[in-house]
């Protein structure tokens, strides 16, 4: 069956450190992989999209890698700040226009 | 980009009643979706709202329970019918411009059924 798994545990890190989140999937062939941020009581907000033929994508302090052989994406937040505290969702984008989401990883950055 | 206005933002309803959630987009969009998000869980796609025709439902969701309307390219409603406590969840409207593009979400409707 199809499955998307993100870090099962919440991530607690010190301000200034790098947070690394994982997204593993099985029985999908995504053309794209996306990452979203969700704050309590709000809808998800898009952060980054990476294509299947791209290895890495960066946006400011965010970096995403995509390994279609390992069926895994890593999401890094460098120089983390308390304002980065949120739940981060990965989403697989297959060619049928639907997005399939992981359960998310909650990140808490301590000042 | 797209800005989505979803209402109500929250409601507490009696079991056996129905609630209609509205989703208004500030621009015309082709793809519109309804999701459910239960506490601590991922977003689950309920259906794709099709303009001018019946919605396309995902496995486990049926039209009688979740009727959807989409009269034009900027507006859709989702009704949660004959509610039970198991329907307590957050319901989210989302739009996309196409495959390989970002999704935009409404703020969500937090539904509690008592």
């Amino acid at each position: 069956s199809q499955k998307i798994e993100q870090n099962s545990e919440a991530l607690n890190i010190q301000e200034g450190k790098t947070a690394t989140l994982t997204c593993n999937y099985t029985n999908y062939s995504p053309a794209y992989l996306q990452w979203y941020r969700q704050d309590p009581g709000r809808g998800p907000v898009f952060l980054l999209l990476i294509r299947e033929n791209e290895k890495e994508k960066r946006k400011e302090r965010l970096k995403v890698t995509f390994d279609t052989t390992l069926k895994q994406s890593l999401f890094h937040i460098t120089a983390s700040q308390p304002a980065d505290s949120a739940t981060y969702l990965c989403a697989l984008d297959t060619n049928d226009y639907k997005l399939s989401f992981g359960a998310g990883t909650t990140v808490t950055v301590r000042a | 980009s797209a800005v989505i206005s979803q209402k109500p933002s929250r409601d507490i309803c009696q079991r056996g009643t129905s609630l209609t959630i509205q989703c208004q987009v500030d621009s015309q969009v082709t793809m519109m979706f309804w999701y459910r998000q239960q506490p601590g869980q991922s977003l689950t796609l309920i259906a794709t709202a099709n303009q001018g025709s019946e919605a396309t439902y995902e496995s486990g969701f049926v039209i009688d329970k979740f009727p959807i309307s989409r009269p034009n390219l900027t507006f859709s409603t989702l009704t949660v019918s004959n509610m039970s406590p198991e329907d307590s969840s957050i319901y989210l409207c989302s739009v996309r411009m196409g495959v390989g593009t970002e999704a935009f979400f409404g703020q969500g409707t937090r539904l509690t059924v008592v």
Side-chain angles (χ1 to χ4, degrees), chain A residues 73-88:
Chain A
S73 175
L74 299 179
F75 178 81
H76 306 271
I77 308 171
T78 59
S80 60
Q81 304 169 359
D84 295 326
S85 299
T87 297
Y88 292 86

Side-chain angles (χ1 to χ4, degrees), chain B residues 4-16:
Chain B
I4 301 174
S5 173
Q6 186 177 335
K7 57 183 181 182
S9 57
R10 59 176 62 226
D11 208 341
I12 301 173
C13 301
Q14 296 291 322
R15 67 178 68 202

